[in-house]
PDB file of all heavy atoms in Angstrom:
ATOM      1  N   LEU A 774     -13.050  24.233   9.919  1.00  0.00           N
ATOM      2  CA  LEU A 774     -11.890  23.509  10.439  1.00  0.00           C
ATOM      3  C   LEU A 774     -11.679  23.820  11.912  1.00  0.00           C
ATOM      4  O   LEU A 774     -11.349  22.948  12.722  1.00  0.00           O
ATOM      5  CB  LEU A 774     -10.640  23.870   9.630  1.00  0.00           C
ATOM      6  CG  LEU A 774      -9.385  23.045   9.904  1.00  0.00           C
ATOM      7  CD1 LEU A 774      -9.619  21.577   9.608  1.00  0.00           C
ATOM      8  CD2 LEU A 774      -8.221  23.572   9.070  1.00  0.00           C
ATOM      9  N   ASP A 775     -11.835  25.092  12.268  1.00  0.00           N
ATOM     10  CA  ASP A 775     -11.782  25.547  13.666  1.00  0.00           C
ATOM     11  C   ASP A 775     -10.482  25.186  14.372  1.00  0.00           C
ATOM     12  O   ASP A 775     -10.483  24.604  15.473  1.00  0.00           O
ATOM     13  CB  ASP A 775     -12.975  24.978  14.465  1.00  0.00           C
ATOM     14  CG  ASP A 775     -14.303  25.520  13.976  1.00  0.00           C
ATOM     15  OD1 ASP A 775     -14.325  26.666  13.480  1.00  0.00           O
ATOM     16  OD2 ASP A 775     -15.316  24.799  14.073  1.00  0.00           O
ATOM     17  N   LEU A 776      -9.353  25.509  13.741  1.00  0.00           N
ATOM     18  CA  LEU A 776      -8.079  25.357  14.436  1.00  0.00           C
ATOM     19  C   LEU A 776      -8.046  26.294  15.637  1.00  0.00           C
ATOM     20  O   LEU A 776      -8.601  27.382  15.609  1.00  0.00           O
ATOM     21  CB  LEU A 776      -6.912  25.695  13.507  1.00  0.00           C
ATOM     22  CG  LEU A 776      -6.657  24.763  12.323  1.00  0.00           C
ATOM     23  CD1 LEU A 776      -5.432  25.266  11.546  1.00  0.00           C
ATOM     24  CD2 LEU A 776      -6.421  23.336  12.784  1.00  0.00           C
ATOM     25  N   ALA A 777      -7.376  25.865  16.689  1.00  0.00           N
ATOM     26  CA  ALA A 777      -7.248  26.706  17.881  1.00  0.00           C
ATOM     27  C   ALA A 777      -6.426  27.944  17.548  1.00  0.00           C
ATOM     28  O   ALA A 777      -5.443  27.885  16.821  1.00  0.00           O
ATOM     29  CB  ALA A 777      -6.580  25.926  19.007  1.00  0.00           C
ATOM     30  N   THR A 778      -6.855  29.080  18.060  1.00  0.00           N
ATOM     31  CA  THR A 778      -6.100  30.325  17.890  1.00  0.00           C
ATOM     32  C   THR A 778      -5.688  30.824  19.264  1.00  0.00           C
ATOM     33  O   THR A 778      -6.355  30.566  20.263  1.00  0.00           O
ATOM     34  CB  THR A 778      -6.931  31.402  17.175  1.00  0.00           C
ATOM     35  OG1 THR A 778      -8.130  31.650  17.923  1.00  0.00           O
ATOM     36  CG2 THR A 778      -7.308  30.937  15.777  1.00  0.00           C
ATOM     37  N   GLY A 779      -4.571  31.549  19.305  1.00  0.00           N
ATOM     38  CA  GLY A 779      -4.020  31.972  20.587  1.00  0.00           C
ATOM     39  C   GLY A 779      -4.035  33.471  20.774  1.00  0.00           C
ATOM     40  O   GLY A 779      -4.268  34.242  19.847  1.00  0.00           O
ATOM     41  N   GLU A 780      -3.765  33.881  21.991  1.00  0.00           N
ATOM     42  CA  GLU A 780      -3.676  35.298  22.323  1.00  0.00           C
ATOM     43  C   GLU A 780      -2.231  35.774  22.198  1.00  0.00           C
ATOM     44  O   GLU A 780      -1.297  34.990  22.229  1.00  0.00           O
ATOM     45  CB  GLU A 780      -4.174  35.535  23.752  1.00  0.00           C
ATOM     46  CG  GLU A 780      -5.631  35.139  23.976  1.00  0.00           C
ATOM     47  CD  GLU A 780      -6.592  35.979  23.155  1.00  0.00           C
ATOM     48  OE1 GLU A 780      -6.308  37.172  22.938  1.00  0.00           O
ATOM     49  OE2 GLU A 780      -7.634  35.448  22.730  1.00  0.00           O
ATOM     50  N   ILE A 781      -2.055  37.075  22.079  1.00  0.00           N
ATOM     51  CA  ILE A 781      -0.736  37.673  22.043  1.00  0.00           C
ATOM     52  C   ILE A 781      -0.338  38.075  23.462  1.00  0.00           C
ATOM     53  O   ILE A 781      -1.122  38.669  24.194  1.00  0.00           O
ATOM     54  CB  ILE A 781      -0.713  38.911  21.125  1.00  0.00           C
ATOM     55  CG1 ILE A 781      -1.121  38.523  19.703  1.00  0.00           C
ATOM     56  CG2 ILE A 781       0.668  39.564  21.126  1.00  0.00           C
ATOM     57  CD1 ILE A 781      -0.206  37.549  19.035  1.00  0.00           C
ATOM     58  N   SER A 782       0.886  37.721  23.850  1.00  0.00           N
ATOM     59  CA  SER A 782       1.398  38.103  25.163  1.00  0.00           C
ATOM     60  C   SER A 782       1.496  39.621  25.260  1.00  0.00           C
ATOM     61  O   SER A 782       2.169  40.259  24.450  1.00  0.00           O
ATOM     62  CB  SER A 782       2.780  37.487  25.394  1.00  0.00           C
ATOM     63  OG  SER A 782       3.422  38.097  26.485  1.00  0.00           O
TER      64      SER A 782
END
Side-chain angles (χ1 to χ4, degrees):
L774 189 60
D775 295 330
L776 293 181
T778 58
E780 299 296 326
I781 301 297
S782 165

